Amino acid sequence: MIRSDGAVRHVAAGLAAAGCRDGGGSAALAPAPGRPWLVRVGKHLRGTFDRLIAGSSLVSNAPVLDVRDFPWTALLRDRWHDIREEAIRVALVGDAAPSLSTISPDHRAIAAPGKWRSFFLWGYGYRIDENLARCPQTREVIERVPGLVSAFFSILAPGTHIPEHRGVSKGLVTCHLALIVPRDGDVRMRVHDRMVRWAEGETLVFDDTYRHEVWNETSGTRVVLLIQFERPLRRPGKWFADLFLGVARRSAFVQEARANVAQWNAAVHRSDG
Protein backbone atom coordinates (compact mmCIF):
# COMPACT_ATOMS: atom_id res chain seq x y z
CA MET A 1 0.00 0.00 0.00
CA ILE A 2 1.09 3.62 -0.55
CA ARG A 3 1.78 5.46 2.67
CA SER A 4 0.09 8.84 3.11
CA ASP A 5 2.92 10.62 4.88
CA GLY A 6 6.51 11.77 4.52
CA ALA A 7 8.62 11.83 1.40
CA VAL A 8 6.51 9.28 -0.47
CA ARG A 9 3.40 11.43 -0.14
CA HIS A 10 5.40 14.43 -1.33
CA VAL A 11 6.66 12.75 -4.49
CA ALA A 12 3.24 11.21 -5.21
CA ALA A 13 1.75 14.70 -5.05
CA GLY A 14 4.42 15.99 -7.39
CA LEU A 15 3.77 13.25 -9.90
CA ALA A 16 0.05 13.91 -9.61
CA ALA A 17 0.63 17.52 -10.58
CA ALA A 18 2.35 16.22 -13.72
CA GLY A 19 -0.65 14.07 -14.58
CA CYS A 20 0.25 10.77 -12.87
CA ARG A 21 -1.93 10.73 -9.80
CA ASP A 22 -1.52 7.82 -7.39
CA GLY A 23 -4.77 8.27 -5.52
CA GLY A 24 -8.41 7.31 -5.96
CA GLY A 25 -11.05 8.78 -8.17
CA SER A 26 -12.46 8.24 -11.64
CA ALA A 27 -9.79 10.37 -13.32
CA ALA A 28 -7.36 7.51 -12.73
CA LEU A 29 -9.02 5.47 -15.48
CA ALA A 30 -8.44 7.96 -18.26
CA PRO A 31 -5.35 8.34 -20.45
CA ALA A 32 -2.89 10.97 -19.34
CA PRO A 33 -3.43 14.28 -21.15
CA GLY A 34 -0.85 15.50 -23.65
CA ARG A 35 0.26 12.00 -24.56
CA PRO A 36 3.63 11.83 -26.36
CA TRP A 37 3.67 11.95 -30.15
CA LEU A 38 5.22 8.48 -30.20
CA VAL A 39 2.07 7.05 -28.62
CA ARG A 40 -0.37 9.07 -30.70
CA VAL A 41 1.33 8.63 -34.08
CA GLY A 42 2.32 5.06 -33.35
CA LYS A 43 -1.32 4.01 -33.04
CA HIS A 44 -1.86 4.98 -36.68
CA LEU A 45 1.30 3.34 -38.03
CA ARG A 46 1.66 0.22 -35.93
CA GLY A 47 -0.69 -1.91 -38.05
CA THR A 48 1.59 -1.49 -41.06
CA PHE A 49 4.73 -1.96 -38.99
CA ASP A 50 3.31 -5.04 -37.27
CA ARG A 51 2.52 -6.70 -40.61
CA LEU A 52 6.05 -6.06 -41.86
CA ILE A 53 7.55 -7.40 -38.64
CA ALA A 54 5.27 -10.46 -38.59
CA GLY A 55 6.38 -11.36 -42.12
CA SER A 56 10.00 -11.43 -40.93
CA SER A 57 9.47 -13.34 -37.68
CA LEU A 58 11.67 -16.35 -36.98
CA VAL A 59 9.19 -17.64 -34.40
CA SER A 60 5.43 -18.10 -34.39
CA ASN A 61 3.11 -15.10 -34.67
CA ALA A 62 0.46 -16.89 -32.59
CA PRO A 63 -1.03 -15.16 -29.52
CA VAL A 64 0.63 -17.66 -27.15
CA LEU A 65 4.05 -19.04 -28.10
CA ASP A 66 5.77 -22.31 -27.26
CA VAL A 67 8.33 -21.81 -24.47
CA ARG A 68 10.48 -24.48 -26.14
CA ASP A 69 11.24 -21.94 -28.88
CA PHE A 70 13.02 -19.88 -26.21
CA PRO A 71 15.50 -22.20 -24.47
CA TRP A 72 16.64 -19.46 -22.06
CA THR A 73 13.26 -19.64 -20.29
CA ALA A 74 14.50 -22.87 -18.66
CA LEU A 75 16.90 -20.76 -16.57
CA LEU A 76 13.97 -18.72 -15.26
CA ARG A 77 12.17 -21.90 -14.26
CA ASP A 78 15.29 -23.34 -12.64
CA ARG A 79 15.88 -20.21 -10.55
CA TRP A 80 12.31 -19.22 -9.78
CA HIS A 81 12.55 -19.81 -6.04
CA ASP A 82 15.50 -17.41 -5.78
CA ILE A 83 13.67 -14.82 -7.86
CA ARG A 84 10.50 -15.15 -5.81
CA GLU A 85 12.41 -14.68 -2.55
CA GLU A 86 13.90 -11.44 -3.85
CA ALA A 87 10.50 -10.21 -5.00
CA ILE A 88 9.06 -10.86 -1.54
CA ARG A 89 12.02 -9.36 0.30
CA VAL A 90 12.41 -6.25 -1.87
CA ALA A 91 9.45 -5.47 -4.15
CA LEU A 92 6.58 -6.38 -1.81
CA VAL A 93 7.84 -4.38 1.18
CA GLY A 94 6.28 -0.99 1.97
CA ASP A 95 6.27 1.48 -0.92
CA ALA A 96 9.06 -0.12 -2.96
CA ALA A 97 6.74 -0.84 -5.90
CA PRO A 98 4.61 2.13 -7.03
CA SER A 99 1.50 1.95 -9.16
CA LEU A 100 2.36 1.42 -12.80
CA SER A 101 0.11 4.40 -13.56
CA THR A 102 2.43 6.55 -11.44
CA ILE A 103 5.51 5.51 -13.39
CA SER A 104 3.88 5.41 -16.82
CA PRO A 105 0.94 7.85 -17.11
CA ASP A 106 -0.33 6.13 -20.25
CA HIS A 107 -1.29 3.15 -18.07
CA ARG A 108 -3.86 5.28 -16.23
CA ALA A 109 -6.32 4.19 -18.91
CA ILE A 110 -6.17 0.51 -17.89
CA ALA A 111 -5.25 0.30 -14.20
CA ALA A 112 -6.65 2.17 -11.22
CA PRO A 113 -3.93 3.42 -8.83
CA GLY A 114 -2.76 0.79 -6.37
CA LYS A 115 -4.23 -2.10 -8.39
CA TRP A 116 -1.25 -2.80 -10.68
CA ARG A 117 2.14 -2.05 -9.14
CA SER A 118 5.61 -2.47 -10.57
CA PHE A 119 9.19 -2.78 -9.37
CA PHE A 120 11.36 -1.98 -12.37
CA LEU A 121 14.71 -3.65 -12.94
CA TRP A 122 15.11 -2.78 -16.61
CA GLY A 123 13.06 -0.47 -18.81
CA TYR A 124 13.31 -0.06 -22.60
CA GLY A 125 16.96 -1.06 -22.52
CA TYR A 126 17.84 1.12 -19.52
CA ARG A 127 19.15 -0.55 -16.38
CA ILE A 128 17.70 0.52 -13.03
CA ASP A 129 21.00 -0.09 -11.23
CA GLU A 130 19.70 0.73 -7.77
CA ASN A 131 16.93 -1.87 -8.00
CA LEU A 132 19.14 -4.46 -9.71
CA ALA A 133 21.65 -4.18 -6.87
CA ARG A 134 18.92 -5.17 -4.41
CA CYS A 135 18.01 -8.26 -6.48
CA PRO A 136 21.33 -9.90 -7.43
CA GLN A 137 19.87 -13.35 -8.13
CA THR A 138 17.23 -11.93 -10.46
CA ARG A 139 19.79 -9.65 -12.10
CA GLU A 140 22.06 -12.60 -12.86
CA VAL A 141 19.22 -14.43 -14.61
CA ILE A 142 17.66 -11.60 -16.62
CA GLU A 143 21.01 -10.37 -17.91
CA ARG A 144 21.20 -13.66 -19.80
CA VAL A 145 17.94 -13.04 -21.69
CA PRO A 146 18.73 -12.49 -25.40
CA GLY A 147 17.48 -9.10 -26.59
CA LEU A 148 16.31 -8.02 -23.13
CA VAL A 149 14.29 -4.78 -23.31
CA SER A 150 12.35 -4.53 -20.02
CA ALA A 151 11.98 -6.50 -16.79
CA PHE A 152 9.94 -5.77 -13.68
CA PHE A 153 8.02 -7.46 -10.91
CA SER A 154 4.36 -7.07 -11.87
CA ILE A 155 2.11 -7.03 -8.80
CA LEU A 156 -1.66 -7.37 -9.20
CA ALA A 157 -3.87 -6.60 -6.20
CA PRO A 158 -6.79 -8.82 -5.10
CA GLY A 159 -9.99 -8.29 -7.04
CA THR A 160 -8.29 -6.48 -9.92
CA HIS A 161 -9.44 -6.56 -13.53
CA ILE A 162 -7.09 -5.10 -16.14
CA PRO A 163 -9.35 -4.33 -19.12
CA GLU A 164 -8.59 -5.26 -22.70
CA HIS A 165 -5.52 -3.51 -24.13
CA ARG A 166 -2.60 -4.21 -26.43
CA GLY A 167 1.15 -3.65 -26.60
CA VAL A 168 2.95 -1.16 -28.79
CA SER A 169 5.12 -3.24 -31.14
CA LYS A 170 5.16 -6.68 -32.76
CA GLY A 171 8.94 -6.41 -32.41
CA LEU A 172 8.60 -7.26 -28.71
CA VAL A 173 7.56 -10.53 -27.08
CA THR A 174 6.49 -10.85 -23.43
CA CYS A 175 7.42 -13.57 -20.96
CA HIS A 176 5.86 -14.06 -17.52
CA LEU A 177 7.55 -16.10 -14.81
CA ALA A 178 4.84 -16.83 -12.23
CA LEU A 179 6.09 -16.21 -8.68
CA ILE A 180 2.96 -15.95 -6.51
CA VAL A 181 -0.41 -17.23 -7.77
CA PRO A 182 -3.24 -17.23 -5.19
CA ARG A 183 -5.34 -20.38 -5.16
CA ASP A 184 -8.56 -19.25 -3.46
CA GLY A 185 -10.19 -18.19 -6.72
CA ASP A 186 -9.39 -17.67 -10.39
CA VAL A 187 -6.39 -15.78 -11.76
CA ARG A 188 -6.38 -15.75 -15.56
CA MET A 189 -5.51 -13.84 -18.72
CA ARG A 190 -7.20 -13.80 -22.10
CA VAL A 191 -4.84 -13.29 -25.03
CA HIS A 192 -6.94 -12.87 -28.19
CA ASP A 193 -9.01 -16.09 -28.18
CA ARG A 194 -6.83 -18.01 -25.71
CA MET A 195 -7.52 -18.19 -21.97
CA VAL A 196 -4.39 -18.94 -19.96
CA ARG A 197 -3.59 -19.34 -16.27
CA TRP A 198 -0.32 -19.00 -14.40
CA ALA A 199 1.37 -21.77 -12.42
CA GLU A 200 4.08 -20.89 -9.91
CA GLY A 201 7.53 -21.58 -11.28
CA GLU A 202 6.32 -21.81 -14.89
CA THR A 203 6.84 -19.43 -17.80
CA LEU A 204 4.27 -18.06 -20.23
CA VAL A 205 5.36 -16.44 -23.50
CA PHE A 206 2.87 -14.39 -25.50
CA ASP A 207 2.49 -11.64 -28.10
CA ASP A 208 0.98 -8.65 -26.33
CA THR A 209 0.01 -6.91 -29.58
CA TYR A 210 -3.04 -9.18 -29.47
CA ARG A 211 -5.81 -7.72 -27.35
CA HIS A 212 -5.53 -9.14 -23.85
CA GLU A 213 -7.03 -8.67 -20.39
CA VAL A 214 -6.32 -9.98 -16.89
CA TRP A 215 -8.39 -10.95 -13.85
CA ASN A 216 -7.31 -11.61 -10.25
CA GLU A 217 -10.51 -12.92 -8.71
CA THR A 218 -8.89 -13.96 -5.42
CA SER A 219 -8.17 -12.45 -2.02
CA GLY A 220 -4.42 -12.63 -2.62
CA THR A 221 -1.79 -10.75 -4.62
CA ARG A 222 -0.54 -12.16 -7.93
CA VAL A 223 3.15 -11.56 -8.69
CA VAL A 224 5.04 -12.35 -11.88
CA LEU A 225 8.42 -11.36 -13.25
CA LEU A 226 7.47 -9.68 -16.52
CA ILE A 227 10.14 -9.65 -19.22
CA GLN A 228 9.94 -8.07 -22.66
CA PHE A 229 12.52 -9.07 -25.22
CA GLU A 230 13.20 -8.53 -28.90
CA ARG A 231 11.36 -10.86 -31.26
CA PRO A 232 13.82 -12.97 -33.29
CA LEU A 233 13.60 -11.42 -36.77
CA ARG A 234 15.16 -11.46 -40.19
CA ARG A 235 15.37 -8.37 -42.37
CA PRO A 236 13.52 -6.21 -43.31
CA GLY A 237 11.31 -6.63 -40.24
CA LYS A 238 14.29 -6.25 -37.92
CA TRP A 239 15.05 -2.85 -39.42
CA PHE A 240 11.56 -1.59 -38.55
CA ALA A 241 11.60 -3.13 -35.06
CA ASP A 242 15.03 -1.66 -34.28
CA LEU A 243 13.92 1.74 -35.58
CA PHE A 244 10.89 1.74 -33.31
CA LEU A 245 12.90 0.71 -30.25
CA GLY A 246 15.55 3.31 -30.96
CA VAL A 247 12.97 6.08 -31.20
CA ALA A 248 11.07 4.80 -28.16
CA ARG A 249 14.18 4.78 -25.94
CA ARG A 250 14.83 8.45 -26.73
CA SER A 251 11.21 9.58 -26.45
CA ALA A 252 9.76 11.73 -23.68
CA PHE A 253 7.42 8.81 -22.98
CA VAL A 254 10.30 6.58 -21.81
CA GLN A 255 12.47 9.34 -20.35
CA GLU A 256 9.58 10.52 -18.16
CA ALA A 257 9.08 6.99 -16.85
CA ARG A 258 12.80 6.74 -16.00
CA ALA A 259 12.62 10.01 -14.11
CA ASN A 260 9.51 8.89 -12.23
CA VAL A 261 11.22 5.67 -11.10
CA ALA A 262 14.21 7.68 -9.84
CA GLN A 263 11.96 10.14 -7.98
CA TRP A 264 9.97 7.32 -6.41
CA ASN A 265 13.07 5.44 -5.24
CA ALA A 266 14.55 8.61 -3.77
CA ALA A 267 11.32 9.35 -1.88
CA VAL A 268 11.16 5.82 -0.49
CA HIS A 269 14.75 6.08 0.76
CA ARG A 270 14.04 9.44 2.41
CA SER A 271 10.92 8.03 4.06
CA ASP A 272 12.77 4.94 5.31
CA GLY A 273 15.86 6.91 6.33
Side-chain angles (χ1 to χ4, degrees), residues 249-271:
R249 292 188 78 239
R250 296 172 179 83
S251 70
F253 178 66
V254 170
Q255 296 304 320
E256 178 186 7
R258 292 181 69 202
N260 288 342
V261 169
Q263 288 182 54
W264 189 270
N265 284 347
V268 169
H269 291 322
R270 288 196 298 270
S271 181

Side-chain angles (χ1 to χ4, degrees), residues 72-83 86 121-122 132 135-146 148 151 177 203 225 227:
W72 52 266
T73 61
L75 182 60
L76 294 174
R77 295 188 292 274
D78 290 344
R79 300 283 297 277
W80 83 276
H81 281 105
D82 295 334
I83 295 170
E86 288 188 336
L121 302 164
W122 210 284
L132 285 168
C135 303
Q137 301 289 331
T138 306
R139 179 190 64 207
E140 181 182 334
V141 173
I142 65 175
E143 286 181 345
R144 296 171 64 179
V145 175
L148 176 65
L177 171 65
T203 48
L225 173 64
I227 293 172

Side-chain angles (χ1 to χ4, degrees), residues 34-55:
R35 303 168 84 205
W37 70 269
L38 179 69
V39 176
R40 290 182 279 110
V41 175
K43 282 184 174 293
H44 298 288
L45 297 178
R46 66 187 179 189
T48 299
F49 277 24
D50 283 351
R51 285 189 293 273
L52 290 167
I53 291 170

Side-chain angles (χ1 to χ4, degrees), residues 41-203:
V41 175
K43 282 184 174 293
H44 298 288
L45 297 178
R46 66 187 179 189
T48 299
F49 277 24
D50 283 351
R51 285 189 293 273
L52 290 167
I53 291 170
S56 300
S57 182
L58 296 172
V59 295
S60 171
N61 286 302
V64 179
L65 288 78
D66 191 332
V67 297
R68 292 174 295 184
D69 290 336
F70 309 93
W72 52 266
T73 61
L75 182 60
L76 294 174
R77 295 188 292 274
D78 290 344
R79 300 283 297 277
W80 83 276
H81 281 105
D82 295 334
I83 295 170
R84 180 173 69 173
E85 287 306 308
E86 288 188 336
I88 293 170
R89 177 174 54 83
V90 176
L92 298 184
V93 175
D95 299 309
S99 294
L100 189 56
S101 58
T102 298
I103 300 305
S104 175
D106 199 56
H107 283 86
R108 289 172 57 198
I110 59 172
K115 293 295 187 180
W116 185 8
R117 297 187 293 132
S118 57
F119 185 86
F120 270 89
L121 302 164
W122 210 284
Y124 270 89
Y126 292 104
R127 298 167 54 96
I128 313 298
D129 287 323
E130 180 180 3
N131 290 350
L132 285 168
R134 301 177 65 194
C135 303
Q137 301 289 331
T138 306
R139 179 190 64 207
E140 181 182 334
V141 173
I142 65 175
E143 286 181 345
R144 296 171 64 179
V145 175
L148 176 65
V149 175
S150 298
F152 61 93
F153 293 120
S154 174
I155 304 162
L156 206 63
T160 297
H161 172 225
I162 303 297
E164 183 180 272
H165 61 289
R166 57 152 290 167
V168 296
S169 172
K170 191 84 170 179
L172 301 178
V173 180
T174 300
C175 175
H176 284 181
L177 171 65
L179 302 176
I180 300 175
V181 182
R183 299 181 181 179
D184 64 334
D186 195 13
V187 189
R188 67 191 184 278
M189 175 170 62
R190 179 184 61 80
V191 186
H192 188 51
D193 58 356
R194 291 281 304 276
M195 194 69 73
V196 295
R197 289 170 173 82
W198 296 272
E200 291 182 358
E202 296 297 326
T203 48

Side-chain angles (χ1 to χ4, degrees), residues 15-31:
L15 294 174
C20 349
R21 186 175 61 183
D22 200 18
S26 59
L29 290 179

